Amino acid sequence: MRKKLVAGNWKMNGLSSSLEEVMAMTTTADRLDCDLVVIPPFTLIERACTASKGSKLLIGGQNCHAQKSGAFTGDVSADMLLDAGAKFVILGHSERRTEHGETDALVSAKAATAIQSGLVAIICVGETQDERDANQTLAVIERQLAGSVPDTATSANTVVAYEPVWAIGTGRVPTVAQIAEVHLAIHAALKKRFGDDGGSVSVLYGGSVKPSNAQSIFAIEYVDGALVGGASLKASDFSAIAEALNA
Ligand code: PGA
């Protein structure tokens, strides 16, 4: 069974005052069957965990280092995320791939370390507009999956997020057919590589998910939830998206 979940990536947004939103999200998390994960900046992880204590709301981090510890100024390790109370970590987000030059090999190394530490890795893949225009979408996704998902991945420790780069923060969403095609391809590739358990890995869609389009996206086969950016900052919008998955 593929687990259903909605994860909210706050990116570089959120101050102490945003903890009110976390509190409001706990009510939604407790009401729903699907998992709800809030992924604030590092500085809020521990306080978000305290604010959501006793509820079903889960907390994650937005990145971690590939090494367990050491002389890496400014970096955060998987063990530190766990220690702060996080259960998930986003890896390979296109903003990290583009702005920090993260390669598939690095994402895979980070994911292997995160998994070994006991975190669930949310590994992101997605094509650029140019790659889609050149009919390279499935080839890019398959290459990123093969390179970014480590051999130790299982349905319990890994989630894959399909995030077309051109749909992130733009308000542009792929058609139902485009999402369906990629999600089926991801599901099939994971099954081929990892057997039946690979077929149980949850695959999220991400890129301009909003309360108004969530229901139609969640109706697509092999879409097991969403990775939400902008619309996850407000508890009301994020909750409405989670409600659509739960329906
Ligand atoms: P968006 O971001 O929902 O704001 O498009 C999604 C993401 O980057 O994970």
Side-chain angles (χ1 to χ4, degrees), residues 48-232:
C49 289
T50 304
S52 60
K53 209 174 167 151
S55 83
K56 280 172 55 197
L57 187 70
L58 298 162
I59 309 297
Q62 296 175 18
N63 180 36
C64 69
H65 200 277
Q67 298 294 324
K68 295 280 278 181
S69 64
F72 302 105
T73 303
D75 279 312
V76 169
S77 75
D79 286 341
M80 289 170 186
L81 293 180
L82 263 186
D83 188 48
K87 301 272 188 275
F88 291 77
V89 62
I90 298 174
L91 295 170
H93 190 282
S94 69
E95 285 152 18
R96 302 249 7 135
R97 290 179 187 265
T98 308
E99 287 166 34
H100 297 268
E102 294 197 4
T103 60
D104 287 334
L106 180 63
V107 175
S108 176
K110 288 181 175 202
T113 303
I115 288 168
Q116 197 191 28
S117 294
L119 291 167
V120 175
I122 301 177
I123 301 173
C124 304
V125 296
E127 82 286 3
T128 62
Q129 183 69 64
D130 284 352
E131 288 163 343
R132 178 161 283 278
D133 291 345
N135 275 325
Q136 290 295 308
T137 299
L138 293 186
V140 167
I141 301 297
E142 276 160 23
R143 190 183 68 226
Q144 289 180 335
L145 270 184
S148 309
V149 178
D151 289 337
T152 48
T154 67
S155 60
N157 63 30
T158 300
V159 170
V160 171
Y162 168 51
E163 297 207 309
V165 179
W166 51 274
I168 295 175
T170 58
R172 292 174 58 211
V173 180
T175 64
V176 167
Q178 287 171 330
I179 296 176
E181 181 186 39
V182 176
H183 276 251
L184 173 62
I186 292 173
H187 175 75
L190 292 169
K191 207 166 166 181
K192 190 169 170 208
R193 177 165 165 203
F194 295 102
D196 282 348
D197 186 57
S200 295
V201 172
S202 301
V203 185
L204 312 182
Y205 168 78
S208 298
V209 177
K210 297 187 171 41
S212 57
N213 60 24
Q215 204 179 0
S216 55
I217 293 170
F218 295 148
I220 302 169
E221 207 175 0
Y222 301 116
V223 174
D224 304 309
L227 181 55
V228 186
S232 71

